[in-house]
Every structure is written in C-alpha cells, then in structure tokens.
Amino acid sequence: MTRDKQNSRELVIAADFGTSGVKLAALDRSLALLATAAESYPLSFPGPDMAEQQPDDWWQALRRGVAALHDQIPDLRKRAVALVPCAQMCGLVCVDRAGDVLRPALISLDKRAGTLSRKMNGGFPTVAGYRADKLFTWTRIANGAPSHNGMDPPAKMLWIKTHEPEVWAASHKLLDVKDWLIFRATGALTTTADSANLTWMMDTRPGREGWSPFLAGRLGIPLDKLPEIVDGASIAGRLAERAAVDLGLSAGLPVVAGAGDVGATAIGSGAVEDGQLHVYAGTSAWLSGFFPSRRLDVFHSYATIASSVGFRPLLIATQESAGTAFAWAARLVGESAGDSDSALDTLYDGIGEMQDDDPLFVPWLAGERVPVDDDRLRGVLYGLSVRHDRNAVLRATLEGVALNLRWAMSKVARQKGVRHDLPLPLVGGAAVNPRFAQLLADALDRRVEVRAPRHAGVRGAAAIAGAALGWFDSVQAAAPALSSGPVEIYDPEPAGVARCAARAARLDRHRKGLLSLYR
C-alpha cells in the first residue's frame, strides 16, 4: 500500500464525556464521521447539591463504545492513529500515589461547596460578592475568580480538605475528568490550560502562562498536588498495555491531550474566527467564542479562559439548565420517556403554537451562573392560570430557555470584538429540536445554523488531534472541514421576534423580584 493510500485510511478516535454518557466517533482526515457510538453511565445525587460519578464508569463506557466502533470498522485497530478525549469540566478526581481513586468524583453539577465558596471569595470591602483585594488579584493574574456557587474546583478541593481530611492527605494529584481519563489510558498526570484556568490557580497573562504559586498558596492548595499543564494539541502519552487490552487498540497508540468540552465544542461548531460566537444547548447551555485577548465582566460572571491549544482566549458564558429543563418538564407532565434527545424532540413537536398568555418560565432549576452567579436561585413558572394545560407548560419551558440565553446574550454582546454579522451555530442535543432552534433565532434575532449538533465535541477534539498529527497546520486551519456538510438554517421570523421581545420585556420587569426571593 502506498503512503498516500495508507494516509487516507488513517482514523482518529475521539470521545466526548458528558454528565450522562460518552459520545464516540472514528473520523478521517476530512473530519468526516465514519462510525459513531454512545454509551451512558450512572449519575449519583447522594445529598443536597451533591453530584458524583465513579471514574471507572467513564472508563467502562469508553471500553464499550470503542467496541461498538470496532463492530462498524473491523480493522479499526490497524487504522487508528490517535485517541483524543474531551470531557465535562470543573470536576475533581482525587488519586493516591498508586493511582487509585480515593472517592467518587465530584462533577461540575456538584455545588455542595457553595457556602464555602462564598466565604472563600468574600470579605470587606465587597465588590460583586468578592473581597476587593482578592478580586483584583484573581482578575489580574487569572482573568477571573471562582464562582460563588461552589461549582469550580478550588471550592471542591477545600471542601474535601475540610470535610474529608483523610482523603485530602492521601491525595497525590487532583485531576479534572479528562485528566483522569488520560491518566487511566497512559499513566501520564497532565492537564490542559482550560481546566487549569478554572481552578483559578493559573497565571493566564500572555508570556506567563502556568501555575501561579501565589494563587495556589493563598487558597492553601499545594502546587505538587496539581498536574503538569500541557498543550491540547500535544501527545500527552501513549496507550499503556493494560488500557490497550481493555480497548482493543494497539499499545503505544498516541493519546492527544485534547480539551474540555467547551473548548472542543467551540472548535467543532466551526465558529473559530475571533469574536464569532456559538450556542451550546445540551444538559446545560453556554455562549462561547474565541477572542484575540482576554475579556472579563465581573458583574455578569463571565470571562475568557485560556483554551487548551496555544492558550487562545475562549469566552465562556454558562447557564445551568437547558436540556435538563426540557426533561424536567417532560417528567412533570407525566412523560416517562424523558431524557433522550429523540424522545424530547418528539414530545415537544406536538405542543401547539406559542400563545401570548402562556406562563413565563425561568429555568433556574440548579441555580444560575450567567449573568447572575447564585446557586440559591430556583426555577419559576410565573403567570399560571386554570386554563393552562401540559402543552402550555412545555411551550413555556422551551421559550424560557431561549429567553434565558437572550438575557445572557444581552450582556455578552457588549464585549468589544463580538461579531454580530455572522450566523450563530447551535450545537448540543437540544439543537435537534427545530422548535427550540426557531425560538432561539427569534429570541436573539439572529440566523441560527445547525450542523451535526450532537457531534461538535468529537469533531472539535478530532481537529485538535489532527493538528497534533500534522493533518492540519493549526486547529483553525480545520475550520473549512468543520463548516462543511448539511446544515439546517433558521432565520428570525418577524412575528416570532416581536413576540419574544414582548415576552422578554415582561420577564425583565419581574426578574429582579424573582431574584430577591432566594436571597
């Protein structure tokens, strides 16, 4: 076989680990999906504001998923040239010197450390809930600060240190979800800049990128408990023999460092120009995009972080509930089919036309992050009457998530350099619902484009691997491949835009009072 023909057969295996399961794909040099698979794993809620998973469940799901890819591509072992993960962020996995996991992982949904986080951040004089000198130092060095809701890793670390001192003492390294998966695959203890930045112990100033002894010391976190920061488009390690046997792949296979889910999805959305935003709507939701320099809005709780490849600034404005709200409403009206994207798509397809007197829904089911950072907030159905039925509640839920994203966009759109002249890619499981996609286009008054929405994470991770392997000169050079293929276009409809504007204005009048209910 000639080298050119061999190259055309080369495949990257990409895996995107979310909160409920992993999506996998085998992709070729054009980033075309040759085979896909999905495997679920359990999610535990052992107490109020607690959310945990067993790391081995992630690994076993990966093993099953790769086996499913093998079924579709029998010579996958020979053709695979790299494995690359992306994963949910803001998790905490404690491992000892032997590499054993010491307790279930605290995942991003875990907010048990909310009270501790507010105490950690606070003090007099206060600015946006932070002691002024702490805020100044964090924003100067790390371009942000830990959230008040306890979601970010430093609060989780301090919770373990305070409440489980024996686990803390035995912890050799403190890892994010992706970091542990790479460790399990290769034995390498690494992280990437995106995960490191969200510990708020990383210096992100240009030319100074790396762990900050000062910030770590102020939090009381020993630097030697933190893994080495490597570039996402580098080879983090090689597949170890034990892992290779588990996965049915070749020992020594390169494992690329990859990215967190936000960074991989940003790339996979195709929105890689500076200032170009995309919307993700899956379990949670976010607005995100790359910028040429750091951005920060303390008062609305969003900022750029250093992305995994080249420290390129990536703006993230996260909201806590999107698909979770759709699934919650389905359960509320007695639909046990519940959480799958296809079941929800079918359910919401038959809810009838939007009505001017539908109730207003605020999707703060798990607190909120942007533009108000407060884990105490809770969801609200406002304006219910005896004439409202199950379909009115379902319509309100779809609209509520879209209007909540409009609320976030109203703050993000003010940032210097935001591109308002480009379509808005929509990715994530909720993007398969055409009702929601059209509502979002109307709510934001922007053209929305949906292209391979469920696979943006694996495509972005594969683009990173492609840069590491020399398939592309850079991650940005993969953009044409990521923006090709079938696309669904949703243009704002004048009647829908007017209706969303009126409903948003009504919600704006009540939101301040709703916020005060929980404080």
Side-chain angles (χ1 to χ4, degrees):
M1 181 183 296
T2 66
R3 181 59 185 165
D4 286 345
K5 288 184 178 179
Q6 183 178 341
N7 287 349
S8 69
R9 290 175 56 80
E10 291 178 344
L11 300 177
V12 162
I13 299 172
D16 178 7
F17 292 83
T19 55
S20 59
V22 59
K23 298 180 181 71
L24 300 97
L27 303 96
D28 65 14
R29 282 174 166 256
S30 68
L31 302 183
L33 299 160
L34 271 64
T36 62
E39 296 289 336
S40 62
Y41 35 71
L43 172 59
S44 172
F45 298 100
D49 297 319
M50 296 181 179
E52 298 181 345
Q53 288 178 323
Q54 294 289 349
D56 190 60
D57 288 338
W58 305 329
W59 183 259
Q60 295 306 321
L62 176 64
R63 182 184 59 76
R64 296 191 302 272
V66 174
L69 297 181
H70 276 290
D71 290 341
Q72 299 168 64
I73 306 176
D75 59 348
L76 180 64
R77 178 179 179 134
K78 291 182 180 179
R79 297 177 65 182
V81 293
L83 173 67
V84 58
C86 67
Q88 55 175 302
M89 302 173 71
C90 294
L92 177 62
V93 184
C94 302
V95 298
D96 64 16
R97 288 189 176 276
D100 294 328
V101 175
L102 294 169
R103 69 172 324 282
L106 278 63
I107 66 166
S108 58
L109 296 175
D110 193 294
K111 298 182 180 70
R112 71 185 71 186
T115 300
L116 191 154
S117 188
R118 287 188 287 274
K119 181 179 179 181
M120 174 182 76
N121 296 340
F124 182 82
T126 297
V127 177
Y130 297 90
R131 198 175 79 190
D133 62 320
K134 292 180 181 179
L135 181 63
F136 173 77
T137 305
W138 259 318
T139 56
R140 179 174 60 87
I141 298 175
N143 197 51
S147 67
H148 296 314
N149 64 14
M151 175 183 180
D152 289 349
K156 290 180 166 83
M157 294 174 186
L158 293 180
W159 190 93
I160 295 291
K161 186 177 181 180
T162 302
H163 296 280
E164 298 181 0
E166 69 289 348
V167 173
W168 180 258
S171 295
H172 173 54
K173 293 295 179 185
L174 307 171
L175 305 175
D176 204 343
V177 176
K178 174 179 62 62
D179 308 340
W180 182 84
L181 288 159
I182 288 177
F183 171 65
R184 176 65 177 81
T186 69
L189 290 162
T190 64
T191 191
T192 48
D194 46 358
S195 288
N197 199 159
L198 290 176
T199 69
W200 306 110
M201 290 180 279
M202 180 185 169
D203 193 332
T204 68
R205 291 173 291 182
R208 304 186 188 186
E209 293 94 347
W211 292 119
S212 167
F214 176 78
L215 293 179
R218 189 168 71 176
L219 288 169
I221 309 294
L223 274 179
D224 62 6
K225 288 186 180 289
L226 305 176
E228 176 189 5
I229 301 172
V230 300
D231 192 82
S234 67
I235 306 301
R238 304 271 173 174
L239 200 61
E241 184 67 40
R242 180 174 70 122
V245 170
D246 271 0
L247 301 178
L249 299 172
S250 299
L253 181 74
V255 178
V256 178
D261 55 358
V262 180
T265 300
I267 295 166
S269 75
V272 297
E273 294 186 32
D274 282 342
Q276 185 179 10
L277 300 178
H278 76 274
V279 176
Y280 169 84
T283 302
S284 59
W286 62 66
L287 301 167
S288 180
F290 294 100
F291 282 78
S293 58
R294 302 195 306 178
R295 299 286 191 274
L296 173 66
D297 187 334
V298 171
F299 295 100
H300 297 114
S301 305
Y302 70 84
T304 55
I305 65 168
S307 65
S308 76
V309 180
F311 306 116
R312 189 182 180 198
L314 175 65
L315 185 145
I316 306 174
T318 301
Q319 295 190 317
E320 298 290 8
S321 298
T324 49
F326 302 155
W328 167 81
R331 293 191 298 272
L332 186 70
V333 301
E335 292 289 340
S336 59
D339 295 3
S340 75
D341 295 336
S342 59
L344 292 175
D345 186 19
T346 300
L347 171 65
Y348 282 92
D349 187 47
I351 58 177
E353 296 301 314
M354 311 299 291
Q355 302 294 318
D356 290 340
D357 71 338
D358 280 344
L360 289 166
F361 177 61
V362 180
W364 301 332
L365 299 174
E368 195 48 280
R369 187 74 179 264
V370 171
V372 171
D373 178 15
D374 197 329
D375 61 300
R376 297 168 294 184
L377 301 182
R378 289 296 178 264
V380 176
L381 270 166
Y382 178 82
L384 283 168
S385 76
V386 293
R387 70 177 298 273
H388 288 134
D389 58 12
R390 66 191 292 278
N391 287 341
V393 171
L394 293 172
R395 290 194 299 266
T397 304
L398 280 186
E399 179 194 59
V401 172
L403 293 182
N404 210 45
L405 281 161
R406 175 189 172 114
W407 185 34
M409 180 66 90
S410 70
K411 314 304 180 185
V412 173
R414 302 173 185 174
Q415 276 296 327
K416 179 181 178 182
V418 169
R419 296 287 299 271
H420 300 281
D421 58 328
L422 297 172
L424 200 64
L426 171 63
V427 296
V432 304
N433 186 323
R435 294 288 298 269
F436 176 70
Q438 185 61 55
L439 264 171
L440 189 65
D442 293 344
L444 301 182
D445 198 11
R446 289 274 295 275
R447 168 175 281 190
V448 168
E449 294 185 349
V450 177
R451 183 184 285 106
R454 290 191 179 98
H455 297 109
V458 291
R459 296 188 81 204
I464 294 172
L469 295 168
W471 289 1
F472 308 105
D473 291 337
S474 65
V475 171
Q476 292 93 313
L482 294 165
S483 298
S484 62
V487 60
E488 297 288 338
I489 294 174
Y490 299 88
D491 284 315
E493 297 177 346
V497 171
R499 182 181 180 282
C500 283
R503 300 274 288 176
R506 183 180 168 199
L507 187 56
D508 288 343
R509 291 194 296 271
H510 296 295
R511 192 178 284 113
K512 186 176 180 180
L514 296 176
L515 290 168
S516 68
L517 290 174
Y518 300 100
R519 295 177 168 177

